[in-house]
């Protein structure tokens, strides 16, 4: 009995449908990234790793990396704290309320980040609604400015990236049978035990996806920190833009861009691996 060899991927007519997309990605993404990487390794005498050595040996650059990771981590935490219960409310809401909530979450995505950042400039001013509300609640004695502060940057970025935390968790929560928690209650499990041993493990794939989305976008954001905190607070993305646009230092810009790319890709690859491990342990 003979077995027919599996056809090559490029001989499969269905696989050929992906050829335009693959060609587009190669031309628009792969080749520019390769050029960027080679630019960072090119010196007067040819290929060299001196740009990376110089970058990593400068304490200022390490502060920039620390700023980038710290802000991204805080934005992710804020989005998770707000987005996790919001995802449950969205999944458990009635049809009409769920439609209204989905529109409220998705519609802001059609507004550009520049418009949102300018709106947050108004909100975070000394006479903005946030400052006035905190004074009215008695938390502040007098109005204070949140604009051009790290706290203001985290609040503004979390508002912009919040849908990318809610939607992945919601897509997982809506598949969970609500009767699982009720079954645990009939067996004498406390609400905390049911959450930590039933609900949380089942929602981990959505949490991992949401965290990966928000963290990777927060690491690479450029417009938002430029408008909400200014040039005195540098991140890898703003340093890259400043190197290309103001300093005209293509080698430094290429080096910081590659380091930023490595961080973002590491987050995506790590989250994908973690999601597969979680999915494999639950099957």
């Amino acid at each position: 009995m003979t077995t027919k060899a599996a056809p090559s991927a490029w001989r499969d007519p269905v696989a050929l449908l992906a050829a335009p997309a693959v060609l587009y990605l190669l031309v628009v993404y792969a080749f520019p990234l390769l050029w960027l990487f080679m630019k960072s390794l090119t010196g007067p005498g040819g290929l060299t790793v001196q740009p990376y050595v110089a970058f990593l040996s400068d304490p200022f650059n390490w502060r920039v990396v620390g700023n980038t990771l710290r802000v991204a981590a805080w934005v992710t935490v804020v989005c998770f704290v707000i987005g996790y219960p919001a995802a449950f409310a969205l999944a458990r809401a009635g049809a009409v309320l769920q439609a209204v909530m989905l529109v409220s979450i998705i519609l802001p995505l059609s507004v550009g980040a520049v418009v949102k950042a300018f709106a947050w400039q108004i909100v975070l001013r000394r006479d903005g609604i946030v400052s006035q509300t905190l004074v009215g609640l008695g938390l502040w004695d007098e109005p204070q400015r949140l604009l051009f502060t790290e706290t203001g940057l985290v609040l503004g970025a979390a508002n912009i990236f919040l849908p990318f935390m809610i939607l992945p968790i919601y897509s997982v929560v809506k598949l969970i049978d609500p009767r699982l928690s009720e079954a645990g209650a009939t067996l004498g499990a406390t609400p905390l035990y049911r959450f930590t041993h039933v609900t949380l493990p089942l929602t981990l794939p959505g949490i991992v996806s949401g965290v990966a989305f928000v963290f990777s976008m927060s690491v690479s954001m450029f417009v938002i920190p430029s408008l909400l905190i200014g040039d005195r607070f540098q991140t890898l993305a703003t340093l890259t833009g400043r190197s290309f646009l103001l300093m005209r230092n293509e080698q430094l810009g290429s080096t910081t861009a590659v380091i930023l790319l490595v961080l973002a890709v590491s987050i995506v690859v790590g989250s994908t691996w973690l999601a597969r491990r979680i999915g494999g342990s639950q099957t």
Side-chain angles (χ1 to χ4, degrees), residues 78-115:
V78 173
C79 286
F80 174 74
V81 171
I82 299 175
Y84 193 78
F88 275 85
L90 179 62
R92 301 292 184 253
V96 176
L97 181 58
Q98 187 179 80
V100 173
M101 293 177 67
L102 276 173
V103 171
S104 302
I105 294 171
I106 297 175
L107 188 60
L109 296 177
S110 62
V111 181
V114 176
V115 177

Side-chain angles (χ1 to χ4, degrees), residues 184-217:
T186 60
L187 296 174
T190 63
L192 180 60
Y193 186 90
R194 296 199 305 268
F195 174 76
T196 56
H197 289 76
V198 179
T199 304
L200 185 61
L202 292 176
T203 56
L204 277 179
I207 294 173
V208 171
S209 299
V211 168
F213 277 128
V214 174
F215 197 91
S216 59
M217 290 187 295

